[in-house]
Amino acid sequence: MIRNQIAEHVRQAIAAAQAAGALPAFDVPAIEISRPKDPTKGDYATSIALQCARAARMAPLAIGQAIVQHMAPADFIGAVEVAAPGFINFRLSGRWLSGLVATIEAANGRYGDINLGRGQTCQVEFISANPTGPLHMGSARNAVLGDTLANIMVAAGYVVQREYYVNDAGTQMRTFAETLYRRYLQQFGQDAPLESHHYQGVYMVDLAREIVAEHGDHFLAMPAEETIAALSDIGLTKILASIRASAEKLRVRFDRWYSERSLYEPGGTFEFVLGKLREAGVMAVRDGAEWLLTSRFGSDRDEVVIRSSGQPGYYASDIAYHYDKFVLRGFDRVINVWAVDHQNQARRMPYLMAALGLDPARLTIVLYDLVRLYRDGQEVKLSKRSGDIITVDEVVDEVGADAVRFLLLTRSNQAVMDFDLNLAVAQNDENPVYYVQYGHARMAGILRKAAERGFPPEQWKHGDLQLLGHARELALLRKMLDLEEVIEHAALTCAPHNLAFYALDLARIFHEFYRDCPVISGEQDDPALACARLRLVAATKAVFARVLGLMGVNAPDSM
RNA sequence: GCCCCUGUAGCUCAGCGGUCAGAGCGGGUGCCUUCUAAGCACAAGGUCGCAGGUUCGAAUCCUGCCAGGGGUACCA
């Protein structure tokens, strides 16, 4: 990354200045290179002179001058300036910048890849919605965040596994089965009213109807408990199939669907981990329940693992599941994407990790806020219980996966998102996804037209990049140069929305270029420039395709 | 009560310690015989919730307050 090269260059300049006596000896802090907000200041800047002023007992400006005077020339540096109150501003050379096109070409569609992860394994667990009904829009946000984050981690050099944790154990599953049982009986005219805690949604009626169609009255003759158990399995299979289909509509696929219930098989993970924790002496029986003593690891409370009823609590699953992730399967890192209503649980996970003897830093919980759906200015309420739900399928069918994915990525994770169905479906310039896709389509159009007019790729692929020097061309190059840093930042902060805003920026800069720099309409005047610009356009197209690809959004060649 | 998140242009939101506060949309004015006008240009629009503090420097960090949302179970 060029930023690191500049930092190293500055470090050497300081050492040289100190060796020459232009600067006194002092410990040099880590040199941070930032991007000035104001592009007229330069491409990169460092405040190192300001930071060293006290240690060096010199005025920041004088320090800056001394550093710059002892800086070796480098091909990537176009200009260096010291600016008040003590910044050193760098401008990249046009020659070096235009060479970025060749770098992008050589990357073969993978420009932007970095080696932050160094091949470590990273599991991203996301959606993991209770398998008791169709996916709603909150889960869609989870799906898009998790899937995009997984893509980002791959680009950042991790080996990634995508997992859906199926909550097929516990009370919500029991409630689901009871509901299904009653809906099944109702299909045969029996009086089996739902209670308030049951799932009221009409999809449960549809499910019961489907089961009647496939199995008839077969279950009526069986004892209730047996029927409930059977319906539980059948219903779970069907719901999971529908969740899988909904996820695929959003272009989300999992490497593994992990069953919570499997943790509790005899001799399974839960038993094993519980034994280990008891052995380690971090379990205690109190009030008839068995607790994990997380207070020993910094928590303000202990957690119930086995309830006084003898049933494991939800913390039990977390313990076994995360032991499985880190110890049995050996992931170096794990990212869980959870909705904010799990914030309390999220806060306790580090203590659980510590109790398991694992470094809490290996687990990252990404919390995201609610999605509020609006249609015609009115909020559309979501509730699985009441049955008044807007499903992912309905929204994707209405607005398309591209718009859903892009819009869900235009908000930072921890911000409540108002999802405007009218905006999403709008096939016009109000919808930012088209602004970006249109940029890609225009590039494809240029390349297509170029081929028609006697400029096929073999004609321009060796075009002279040194001819690129127009302000719009350089602006485009600078933006493309940012991609590695954007991916790094997105990976470090688990913030996929950075990609959406990057794509929007890149599109704007491309559209400006498009207007001011005709690529092939002026080729009769300067075919060499046309060739250079065609290379630039092809590289830009590749960058657009890459960013949109990371977001799971299509990059159309025409619109 | 305590904890977490959010409060930035008319609207929806980026930016989260640096050198004149940004984008998209909406509203105003221009630009299509020339690579797709789903575009571009120009102008307009902001006490970065409020008050203190830290710092050479704060929208960004700290404290307090105000407003909105979420969380605080032997539910998941």
Side-chain angles (χ1 to χ4, degrees), chain A residues 494-512:
Chain A
C494 292
H497 72 281
N498 286 296
L499 292 181
F501 287 94
Y502 176 79
L504 243 17
D505 276 351
L506 186 62
R508 179 174 46 80
I509 291 167
F510 169 74
H511 286 309
E512 291 165 0

Side-chain angles (χ1 to χ4, degrees), chain A residues 124-360:
Chain A
V124 182
E125 182 226 310
F126 60 108
I127 306 187
S128 300
N130 283 338
T132 54
L135 287 184
H136 57 68
M137 279 306 287
S139 298
R141 188 173 189 185
N142 190 319
V144 172
L145 283 177
D147 187 54
T148 305
L149 191 50
N151 289 338
I152 289 168
M153 297 309 278
V154 171
Y158 288 90
V159 176
V160 172
Q161 192 236 29
R162 287 157 216 254
E163 181 151 299
Y164 188 117
Y165 181 48
V166 182
N167 298 119
D168 52 4
T171 52
Q172 82 288 338
M173 205 57 221
R174 172 74 196 181
T175 305
F176 169 77
E178 281 177 13
T179 307
L180 189 52
Y181 176 59
R182 287 168 196 233
R183 289 300 195 194
Y184 178 79
L185 295 181
Q186 286 170 8
Q187 287 298 307
F188 297 97
Q190 298 199 18
D191 181 32
L194 297 191
E195 291 169 29
S196 62
H197 68 282
H198 289 132
Y199 295 104
Q200 310 292 324
V202 284
Y203 65 88
M204 292 299 287
V205 179
D206 298 336
L207 201 53
R209 200 168 283 143
E210 222 179 283
I211 291 171
V212 170
E214 288 168 22
H215 300 268
D217 61 1
H218 171 70
F219 296 114
L220 288 180
M222 286 165 55
E225 274 309 313
E226 248 176 73
T227 303
I228 288 173
L231 290 179
S232 178
D233 285 345
I234 295 169
L236 175 66
T237 303
K238 287 184 177 297
I239 292 283
L240 281 179
S242 91
I243 287 175
R244 188 187 305 246
S246 298
E248 286 186 2
K249 270 195 183 186
L250 272 174
R251 308 191 185 115
V252 173
R253 283 171 180 273
F254 291 92
D255 299 307
R256 183 159 179 188
W257 297 69
Y258 191 101
S259 160
E260 178 185 12
R261 199 189 289 166
S262 72
L263 295 167
Y264 296 100
E265 283 163 5
T269 307
F270 177 68
E271 261 184 47
F272 179 72
V273 179
L274 184 62
K276 284 196 65 134
L277 291 171
R278 281 172 176 157
E279 245 172 67
V282 293
M283 300 293 296
V285 175
R286 202 160 62 220
D287 305 328
E290 190 165 358
W291 304 67
L292 177 64
L293 302 177
T294 41
S295 58
R296 289 198 191 163
F297 301 92
S299 178
D300 54 356
R301 51 167 296 169
D302 297 324
E303 304 295 344
V304 169
V305 177
I306 313 265
R307 293 185 265 165
S308 50
S309 67
Q311 291 294 110
Y314 69 83
Y315 221 65
S317 296
D318 278 341
I319 290 167
Y321 185 38
H322 285 83
Y323 183 86
D324 177 83
K325 290 185 186 206
F326 287 103
V327 181
L328 300 184
R329 285 190 277 168
F331 289 109
D332 296 309
R333 287 191 61 186
V334 169
I335 298 173
N336 294 344
V337 183
W338 289 353
V340 267
D341 53 337
H342 292 73
Q343 60 180 260
N344 199 50
Q345 187 185 359
R347 206 174 51 223
R348 291 177 186 173
M349 289 308 290
Y351 307 121
L352 178 148
M353 291 287 287
L356 287 171
L358 299 167
D359 178 3

